């Protein structure tokens, strides 16, 4: 019985380690995925793009193609997965979801996280609650989509060569109306639609 228990424990540890391994791509992902706005259906969402400084990126990020969005709403809202995937990390007011093409979506400024690493989530599934910003009195979540590639300069005596991987960012195609594609415009507001279909002209 003791041996069986130890075997199960080792298997669980092994699976946990596998799910935590970093996905590294050899080239940029080829995807036309459409991302859902990451708040509750019916929410009116103001969007703003963020600078690397505002987002607080680290040195292993690639600031040249950096892209992140801030979503603000005037009412409390759940934070929902913008795209289906597996939860890669959950904690410290942050959730990272790994998608099937090797890209990651990072959601920050979260409260009451309700998922754990290894959970499978569908598009629109709740991840957490948006955080209330005391200064503005509004609720916010920030989101960035990126992928990892091997750093060709890793181990070399050059600037930036100390990181094994480099993060590259994607400016995702969002949707406020089901599967309809919307390229977000900084400073605009959008409504998270309840319907999942589109008119031909949308």
């Amino acid at each position: 019985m003791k041996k069986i228990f130890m075997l199960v424990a080792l298997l669980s540890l092994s699976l946990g380690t596998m799910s935590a391994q970093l996905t590294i791509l050899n080239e940029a992902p080829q995807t036309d995925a459409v991302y859902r706005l990451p708040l509750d259906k019916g929410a009116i969402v103001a969007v703003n793009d963020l600078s690397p400084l505002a987002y607080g990126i680290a040195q292993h990020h690639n600031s040249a193609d950096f892209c992140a969005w801030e979503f603000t709403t005037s009412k409390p809202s759940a934070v929902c997965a913008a795209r289906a995937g597996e939860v890669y990390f959950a904690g410290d007011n942050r959730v990272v979801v790994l998608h099937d093409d090797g890209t990651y979506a990072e959601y920050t400024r979260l409260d009451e996280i309700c998922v754990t690493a290894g959970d499978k989530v569908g598009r629109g599934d709740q991840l957490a609650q948006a955080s209330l910003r005391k200064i503005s009195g509004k609720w916010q979540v920030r989101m960035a989509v990126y992928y990892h590639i091997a750093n060709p300069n890793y181990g070399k005596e050059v600037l930036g060569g100390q990181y094994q991987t480099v993060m590259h960012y994607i400016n995702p195609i969002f949707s406020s109306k089901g599967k309809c594609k919307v390229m977000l415009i900084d400073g605009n507001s959008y409504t998270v639609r309840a319907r999942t279909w589109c008119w031909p002209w949308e």
Side-chain angles (χ1 to χ4, degrees):
M1 188 67 180
K2 187 175 180 181
K3 288 182 178 179
I4 294 174
F5 176 78
M6 289 183 68
L7 183 62
V8 170
L10 285 171
L11 182 60
S12 299
L13 181 62
S14 174
L15 289 173
T17 303
M18 286 171 61
S19 67
Q21 287 178 345
L22 188 68
T23 298
I24 301 173
L25 303 181
N26 292 324
E27 56 186 20
Q30 300 298 314
T31 177
D32 58 355
V34 177
Y35 292 75
R36 178 191 186 277
L37 292 176
L39 292 172
D40 271 340
K41 291 178 181 177
I44 299 174
V45 180
V47 302
N48 293 98
D49 63 5
L50 297 170
S51 68
L53 182 61
Y55 197 73
I57 67 170
Q59 289 180 340
H60 65 291
H61 296 254
N62 179 23
S63 60
D65 63 1
F66 176 80
C67 180
W69 290 96
E70 183 176 77
F71 301 87
T72 304
T73 185
S74 58
K75 296 180 180 179
S77 175
V79 175
C80 304
R83 185 178 166 195
E86 179 180 334
V87 177
Y88 176 77
F89 175 86
D92 301 324
N93 303 316
R94 182 171 70 101
V95 170
V96 180
V97 175
L98 171 62
H99 309 129
D100 58 9
D101 64 347
T103 59
Y104 296 82
E106 180 179 67
Y107 306 81
T108 61
R109 293 201 166 177
L110 305 180
D111 288 331
E112 300 177 31
I113 293 172
C114 58
V115 293
T116 58
D119 287 352
K120 302 287 186 181
V121 292
R123 189 175 190 263
D125 287 352
Q126 183 173 347
L127 305 175
Q129 291 288 328
S131 66
L132 175 62
R133 313 313 296 174
K134 294 181 179 179
I135 295 176
S136 65
K138 296 185 177 181
W139 285 261
Q140 278 186 354
V141 61
R142 291 178 170 183
M143 180 181 167
V145 179
Y146 55 84
Y147 60 96
H148 293 267
I149 64 168
N151 186 352
N153 295 319
Y154 180 63
K156 297 179 181 178
E157 296 297 325
V158 295
L159 184 64
Q162 68 271 39
Y163 294 101
Q164 193 167 359
T165 64
V166 178
M167 293 171 66
H168 285 273
Y169 289 83
I170 294 172
N171 188 4
I173 300 169
F174 281 94
S175 166
S176 62
K177 309 180 186 71
K179 295 180 180 179
C180 306
K181 297 179 181 181
V182 176
M183 294 304 294
L184 298 186
I185 300 174
D186 183 44
N188 272 19
S189 293
Y190 302 86
T191 301
V192 186
R193 304 291 185 181
R195 58 187 169 90
T196 57
W197 49 272
C198 306
W199 297 108
W201 55 83
E202 290 182 310

